[in-house]
Amino acid sequence: MYVCICRAVTESEVHDCIAEGARTARQVRDATGAGGDCAVCVRKICAMLKRSEDLVTSA
């Protein structure tokens, strides 16, 4: 599923970016372009970052 329609960035691409060390929406944007245009997807990216952070802290 697409996270960012403007830049055609998928959830998988964002998950890969997070796995490679991205910890902020800005870092995801710099790596993938997601959130660089209309920024509608930034909330979803932030939620994905929070979920990944929650998984790390609960493990």
Side-chain angles (χ1 to χ4, degrees):
M1 176 184 259
Y2 286 104
V3 171
C4 176
I5 306 254
C6 298
R7 298 288 178 110
V9 178
T10 64
E11 286 183 356
S12 294
E13 290 173 294
V14 174
H15 284 299
D16 290 346
C17 185
I18 293 168
E20 292 171 5
R23 297 292 171 253
T24 66
R26 178 171 281 162
Q27 290 172 333
V28 172
R29 182 200 64 207
D30 290 347
T32 66
D37 289 324
C38 75
V40 168
C41 58
V42 172
R43 281 184 137 173
K44 179 149 181 123
I45 293 167
C46 288
M48 292 172 75
L49 286 161
K50 175 135 179 53
R51 268 184 268 139
S52 71
E53 185 179 293
D54 290 345
L55 289 174
V56 169
T57 58
S58 68

